[in-house]
Amino acid sequence: MEDTEKVIEFLWTNKFLFSLLVISFILIVRRLILSGIRGDVLFLSDQQRKWMFFTKNSAFGILVVCLFLIWKSEISQFALSVTAIAVAIVVASKEIILCFTGSIQRASSRSFRIGDWIEVGKTSGEVIEHNLMATVIQEIDLYHGQYHFTGKTITLPNSMFFTYAVKNLNFMKRYVYHNFSIVVPTFENLYPLLSGLEDRIEVHSEDFIDVARRYNGVIEKHAGVDLPGSEPHIHISSGATGEQIVHVMIFCPTELAVHLEQEIRSDFMAMYHDHFNGQKVTESDAV
């Protein structure tokens, strides 16, 4: 009993060590519970996500309460010492505080690291540096479907992470879901061309399709969701003025996306020309 009291007294007098023990214990228990909830399943169910969310937030709440109880006296003294100048500090250094807390938010959420592709607002690029105040990226042209560096270096203040959602696009460095559209100004029945177009896409994809399937599976397992897959997806819609729009989505190496788009466009145009010009020739011969 005396030994137990001595241990408790020692830990209470060495609050830093006690805090480390409490943090380690809570994180270990949290990790064990999350592993038990996830199990060996490939895709998470809604019920599993809810329990994992509850576990993470409960562990964080318990950790905050424990640390507050351990350091309660020190926190009270510190609060009293800075009360007189707190308002002036916040007003004078609002942006600095936001950048600093934004850095903490980034580190705690592990939203990205150096080398990742990210999108913040309408800005996207590869992270080359980040510190307590700002994040530096090399801009990538994603909005035009080019996936290449523009040569511009952009410095983002970390305060932006509270204003805009941070999208991690790191898996797009190797493979990407590339979407593009082909507009046909006349209202024609294009569905007979789709099977042939799919065959042409498969021919263009022969060199990388096996790797693409494996990589797609890795992304699905990491994200815990069912992605569209590595097969091409084609559908047709109509525009407001009656034009036909062929929508194509392919899963391909990022550096080949633009080249494959041009090849597929060329194939479709040739198929369209052969199909409909052939019909016109047949009709004229019949007349």
Side-chain angles (χ1 to χ4, degrees), residues 56-68:
K56 291 178 181 179
N57 284 275
S58 299
F60 179 75
I62 294 172
L63 179 62
V64 171
V65 171
C66 291
L67 292 178
F68 176 78

Side-chain angles (χ1 to χ4, degrees), residues 149-169:
F149 291 100
T150 64
K152 300 176 183 177
T153 301
I154 301 177
T155 302
L156 305 174
N158 290 336
S159 58
M160 290 183 64
F161 301 150
F162 292 109
T163 307
Y164 300 99
V166 179
K167 300 179 183 179
N168 192 309
L169 313 175

Side-chain angles (χ1 to χ4, degrees), residues 53-104:
F53 174 78
F54 176 77
T55 301
K56 291 178 181 179
N57 284 275
S58 299
F60 179 75
I62 294 172
L63 179 62
V64 171
V65 171
C66 291
L67 292 178
F68 176 78
L69 293 176
I70 294 172
W71 296 92
K72 182 173 63 175
S73 58
E74 286 78 3
I75 293 174
S76 299
Q77 294 175 4
F78 177 76
L80 290 174
S81 63
V82 301
T83 299
I85 59 173
V87 176
I89 292 175
V90 171
V91 173
S93 56
K94 175 184 176 182
E95 192 65 25
I96 296 176
I97 293 174
L98 285 175
C99 289
F100 179 72
T101 51
S103 176
I104 296 175

Side-chain angles (χ1 to χ4, degrees), residues 70-285:
I70 294 172
W71 296 92
K72 182 173 63 175
S73 58
E74 286 78 3
I75 293 174
S76 299
Q77 294 175 4
F78 177 76
L80 290 174
S81 63
V82 301
T83 299
I85 59 173
V87 176
I89 292 175
V90 171
V91 173
S93 56
K94 175 184 176 182
E95 192 65 25
I96 296 176
I97 293 174
L98 285 175
C99 289
F100 179 72
T101 51
S103 176
I104 296 175
Q105 186 270 342
R106 176 200 57 77
S108 61
S109 64
R110 297 179 181 177
S111 52
F112 61 85
R113 57 186 178 181
I114 291 178
D116 285 358
W117 285 15
I118 64 170
E119 181 179 353
V120 183
K122 293 186 177 181
T123 303
S124 55
E126 180 175 330
V127 180
I128 59 174
E129 181 184 351
H130 59 72
N131 51 49
L132 291 178
M133 301 304 297
T135 298
V136 183
I137 65 173
Q138 285 285 353
E139 188 182 39
I140 299 173
D141 184 13
L142 294 183
Y143 283 97
H144 299 95
Q146 299 297 314
Y147 312 107
H148 61 68
F149 291 100
T150 64
K152 300 176 183 177
T153 301
I154 301 177
T155 302
L156 305 174
N158 290 336
S159 58
M160 290 183 64
F161 301 150
F162 292 109
T163 307
Y164 300 99
V166 179
K167 300 179 183 179
N168 192 309
L169 313 175
N170 196 41
F171 82 93
M172 293 176 60
K173 291 179 68 174
R174 291 188 58 196
Y175 279 78
V176 65
Y177 285 105
H178 184 60
N179 297 272
F180 61 93
S181 301
I182 304 172
V183 179
V184 179
T186 57
F187 193 86
E188 305 281 1
N189 182 14
L190 303 177
Y191 286 95
L193 304 179
L194 297 190
S195 59
L197 184 61
E198 289 182 357
D199 293 338
R200 293 301 304 161
I201 294 175
E202 291 179 1
V203 171
H204 294 311
S205 307
E206 286 179 350
D207 294 337
F208 61 82
I209 189 62
D210 292 334
V211 178
R213 291 193 181 104
R214 291 196 297 269
Y215 192 69
N216 186 264
V218 170
I219 297 172
E220 286 184 336
K221 186 175 182 181
H222 178 74
V225 295
D226 187 13
L227 297 175
S230 55
E231 294 74 21
H233 297 267
I234 306 174
H235 69 277
I236 299 174
S237 64
S238 299
T241 57
E243 69 273 11
Q244 298 279 78
I245 305 175
V246 182
H247 303 273
V248 181
M249 183 180 73
I250 56 175
F251 187 68
C252 63
T254 304
E255 67 272 11
L256 298 178
V258 177
H259 173 72
L260 289 172
E261 176 184 339
Q262 298 305 310
E263 293 285 344
I264 295 169
R265 286 181 182 273
S266 176
D267 291 338
F268 178 82
M269 291 176 183
M271 293 167 60
Y272 178 86
H273 180 270
D274 293 342
H275 182 78
F276 291 103
N277 277 12
Q279 283 186 351
K280 291 178 182 179
V281 171
T282 303
E283 290 174 359
S284 62
D285 290 343

Side-chain angles (χ1 to χ4, degrees), residues 25-35 55-57 59-60:
F25 177 76
I26 292 176
L27 292 179
I28 291 172
V29 172
R30 173 181 175 271
R31 187 177 183 86
L32 292 174
I33 294 175
L34 291 176
S35 298
T55 301
K56 291 178 181 179
N57 284 275
F60 179 75

